Amino acid sequence: MNGPEIHVEFDPELALFVPNTRRRGATRLATDGVSTLGHVIESVGVPLTEVGALVVDGHEVPTAHIPKDGESVHVRAVERPQRVPGAPLRFLLDVHLGTLARRLRLLGVDTAYESTDIGDPALAARSATERRVMLSRDRGLLRRRELWVGAFVYSTRPDAQLRDVLDRFRPELRPWTRCTACNGLLKEATKEEVADQLESGTQRTYDVFAQCTECGRAYWKGAHHEQLVAIVEDALSMRTQDG
């Protein structure tokens, strides 16, 4: 680009996406005079899914704004909690976020997950068709225009990923109501109904069971239950703190 020059300042939250030479204060960017401000921002490396308001010389403008020479642009991070059009709030996660998917399902959040790499076009199409928020660390995927809504997952650690998603979207939590394997809803089940899935020791020790209405998987308060309880309690405490 070698047309009009603009001065751009990014919110600190967006520093992850901005090259080191452009992270401090405002930076000059040359444009071609025809590309939109949204395109210019993406060309720097910032996904528009992470951008909130765009303020040019003190006035908010749309991403379709064509920058003019000398304009000062403030690129703000997306507001939290982020409001998503329509209801209910549902998510779609790519192949790299399996642990996060299981934890969201544990909390009763409607979470679709692709355990194999079906490709960016198919993921974006599913996001649009089912109106699901696409969660990913793939910036290329998040730049696809057909996405319903997208969001970058900032951390590589599942506990931090979960807290970030809960903070950003504030989904309704209904712990222990979804199958962590397939996202189906759970129902109470008798020991007899799930007996074919139980080892003899489990049959002797436990009496309370649930079963997925979709895949039939049985659930009970087994050896890892305390770890799951800790995840649920931490998520619920976040909601209490949020008021």
Side-chain angles (χ1 to χ4, degrees):
M1 294 184 182
N2 53 6
E5 278 196 348
I6 59 176
H7 303 270
V8 183
E9 181 179 0
F10 295 92
D11 269 1
E13 295 90 334
L14 301 174
L16 169 69
F17 307 104
V18 182
N20 290 334
T21 56
R22 294 173 173 161
R23 287 184 181 179
R24 295 182 179 179
T27 184
R28 288 185 178 182
L29 287 179
T31 71
D32 60 10
V34 295
S35 294
T36 65
L37 183 55
H39 178 80
V40 173
I41 292 169
E42 283 191 324
S43 71
V44 177
V46 182
L48 292 183
T49 58
E50 307 312 297
V51 172
L54 297 174
V55 181
V56 174
D57 293 335
H59 301 282
E60 190 169 335
V61 301
T63 55
H65 173 78
I66 306 297
K68 300 178 180 61
D69 191 52
E71 287 184 336
S72 294
V73 180
H74 183 184
V75 182
R76 294 176 177 168
V78 67
E79 289 189 359
R80 296 186 177 217
Q82 182 177 348
R83 302 303 179 188
V84 177
L89 182 62
R90 304 191 294 178
F91 294 96
L92 171 62
L93 279 61
D94 68 19
V95 67
H96 304 291
L97 299 175
T99 299
L100 176 59
R102 289 187 291 273
R103 293 189 179 188
L104 285 169
R105 290 170 177 175
L106 173 67
L107 297 173
V109 180
D110 189 342
T111 306
Y113 163 67
E114 293 291 347
S115 59
T116 57
D117 188 355
I118 63 173
D120 289 0
L123 284 169
R126 184 174 182 185
S127 167
T129 300
E130 300 180 13
R131 295 192 172 187
R132 290 182 179 273
V133 179
M134 183 77 241
L135 300 181
S136 178
R137 287 179 53 79
D138 182 345
R139 302 183 198 183
L141 171 57
L142 295 177
R143 290 182 64 172
R144 299 193 70 90
R145 294 291 180 259
E146 62 269 37
L147 284 175
W148 168 242
V149 177
F152 185 78
V153 177
Y154 286 78
S155 178
T156 58
R157 297 184 297 109
D159 55 344
Q161 291 174 344
L162 180 61
R163 293 183 68 86
D164 182 47
V165 172
L166 297 182
D167 174 71
R168 177 165 176 171
F169 293 100
R170 312 285 172 87
E172 179 184 358
L173 304 183
R174 299 181 61 200
W176 318 108
T177 61
R178 286 191 178 273
C179 176
T180 56
C182 82
N183 196 44
L185 294 174
L186 301 182
K187 67 176 182 67
E188 293 183 1
T190 65
K191 185 182 295 187
E192 290 71 25
E193 288 175 317
V194 297
D196 60 335
Q197 300 184 52
L198 308 178
E199 296 183 359
S200 57
T202 303
Q203 290 202 35
R204 291 193 304 269
T205 306
Y206 301 98
D207 296 304
V208 179
F209 298 90
Q211 188 173 29
C212 177
T213 57
E214 295 293 330
C215 71
R217 180 172 177 170
Y219 289 86
W220 61 94
K221 297 180 180 179
H224 301 293
H225 185 68
E226 289 187 3
Q227 298 175 22
L228 301 181
V229 168
I231 294 172
V232 170
E233 289 182 345
D234 183 61
L236 293 178
S237 69
M238 281 185 61
R239 185 55 47 85
T240 301
Q241 294 166 11
D242 293 337

